[in-house]
Amino acid sequence: MTKRFSPSQIILLVIAAALAIVWIAPIAWAVATSLKPESETTKLPLQWFGSEITLDSYRLVLATGGIVKWAINSTVTAVVVTFMTVLFSAMAAYGFARTQFRGQRVLLAVILAGIMVPPQVLIAPLFAEMVSFGLVDTWWSIILPQVAAPLIVYILYKFFQDVPPELEQAAFVDGAGRWRVFFTIVLPLSRPVLAAVSIFTFITTWNNFLWPFLVSTDPNTMTLPVGLANVVQGTFGLRYAQIMASVVLAGLPLLVVFVLFQRQIIRGVAHTGLAGQ
């Protein structure tokens, strides 16, 4: 039996298709431009495809020799930031959700206020702090400022509030302590939301350009976006094929992560209780 779509469903499908085209078009243009000969990237009128498909722009980017090092740096940075952010945010969120202490409401209000502060506002004081600690051009100057994530704390806080406290009370009766309950009961029950926030944190850290650009001038600590930006500015100038090739190479790992973990992302959003907010 053929399924018939209602007028409202058809309208939603049309809107979804239009949005998909809007989101996919820039990616398709970047890939198409990276495969053009350099002389045809600024040819008017603009065309999607050049006279030939060439990988010269990718060869030039890869020939710099630093892209593998920068990719490793980005991977290490993103993994460490993700692990520390999720762990510390989960500990803080669980403390707010399950314990009562003096000043709790004030601290929670401060965290909620942190969500509303644009990260760009904090760049100057954070940079001054890194300079005073002597951490500029080190891994910690890139990692530590990204670990504080008020939004992740709030999301996990809302999730932990919905975890049945009876499960924890049963463990307490059996002699388990607060830490054991947290690591053996609460965290395993929170795998969907933890997976979602981990993926979002990893993607955000991998894409972060401004902060690593400010605190890392040493090629040995540069992340992939910073390294590719320096290569493009210093060697290629305004050669659009190489610029687009750099963008594609930097975005490929994120595409792989999303394709592999898209179900976890959807399940995590559904389990946070924030999907409709």
Side-chain angles (χ1 to χ4, degrees), residues 2-3 35 37 46 54 59-60 62 66 77 84 87 109 137 140 144 152 166 173 199 205 211 216 225 237 244 247 262:
T2 304
K3 181 179 179 180
L35 297 175
L46 294 176
T54 176
R59 295 191 186 97
L60 288 172
L62 294 174
T77 301
M84 295 179 65
L87 177 62
D137 273 339
W140 293 116
L144 289 179
I152 303 300
E166 292 79 9
V173 171
I199 294 169
T205 306
W211 179 251
S216 61
M244 293 304 175
V247 171
Q262 57 180 324

Side-chain angles (χ1 to χ4, degrees):
M1 182 177 179
T2 304
K3 181 179 179 180
R4 294 184 179 181
F5 293 96
S6 65
S8 60
Q9 290 177 321
I10 294 176
I11 293 174
L12 290 176
L13 287 174
V14 171
I15 295 175
L19 291 174
I21 293 174
V22 171
W23 290 330
I24 293 175
I27 301 175
W29 180 259
V31 174
T33 303
S34 67
L35 297 175
K36 291 180 182 178
E38 186 61 48
S39 60
E40 299 183 15
T41 56
T42 56
K43 182 179 179 181
L44 295 177
L46 294 176
Q47 299 178 351
W48 276 90
F49 303 102
S51 59
E52 61 175 330
I53 296 178
T54 176
L55 298 176
D56 289 343
S57 58
Y58 291 94
R59 295 191 186 97
L60 288 172
V61 172
L62 294 174
T64 61
I67 189 170
V68 175
K69 175 65 176 177
W70 299 329
I72 294 174
N73 291 346
S74 286
T75 302
V76 172
T77 301
V79 169
V80 173
V81 170
T82 299
F83 176 78
M84 295 179 65
T85 299
V86 174
L87 177 62
F88 295 151
S89 297
M91 294 168 64
Y94 182 71
F96 282 118
R98 285 293 189 267
T99 60
Q100 300 292 329
F101 55 90
R102 183 177 299 178
Q104 179 181 12
R105 293 185 177 180
V106 175
L107 286 177
L108 186 58
V110 170
I111 290 177
L112 294 178
I115 299 175
M116 297 179 284
V117 177
Q120 293 78 6
V121 175
L122 303 176
I123 286 179
L126 281 176
F127 185 80
E129 186 177 10
M130 293 299 106
V131 172
S132 63
F133 289 157
L135 296 178
V136 176
D137 273 339
T138 66
W139 290 98
W140 293 116
S141 65
I142 301 175
I143 292 172
L144 289 179
Q146 300 187 73
V147 172
L151 180 59
I152 303 300
V153 174
Y154 179 69
I155 291 175
L156 295 177
Y157 165 71
K158 297 295 290 184
F159 180 85
F160 290 150
Q161 283 186 317
D162 295 331
V163 175
E166 292 79 9
L167 298 175
E168 301 170 52
Q169 294 298 332
F172 290 143
V173 171
D174 291 338
R178 178 68 69 179
W179 286 104
R180 183 176 179 182
V181 169
F182 176 69
F183 283 107
T184 62
I185 296 178
V186 177
L187 289 187
L189 290 175
S190 309
R191 281 180 295 182
V193 65
L194 292 177
V197 297
S198 297
I199 294 169
F200 288 137
T201 303
F202 183 90
I203 292 174
T204 301
T205 306
W206 183 279
N207 283 332
N208 194 354
F209 168 77
L210 183 58
W211 179 251
F213 178 75
L214 293 175
V215 296
S216 61
T217 57
D218 184 359
N220 293 322
T221 61
M222 284 183 180
T223 57
L224 186 59
V226 177
L228 290 176
N230 287 332
V231 168
V232 170
Q233 293 177 0
T235 304
F236 299 138
L238 292 178
R239 298 189 177 183
Y240 295 102
Q242 286 87 337
I243 294 175
M244 293 304 175
S246 301
V247 171
V248 173
L249 290 174
L252 278 178
L254 300 183
L255 180 61
V256 173
V257 169
F258 180 78
V259 170
L260 293 178
F261 299 104
Q262 57 180 324
R263 290 186 179 180
Q264 285 79 358
I265 294 176
I266 297 173
R267 289 178 56 195
V269 171
H271 280 77
T272 58
L274 300 175
Q277 299 183 14

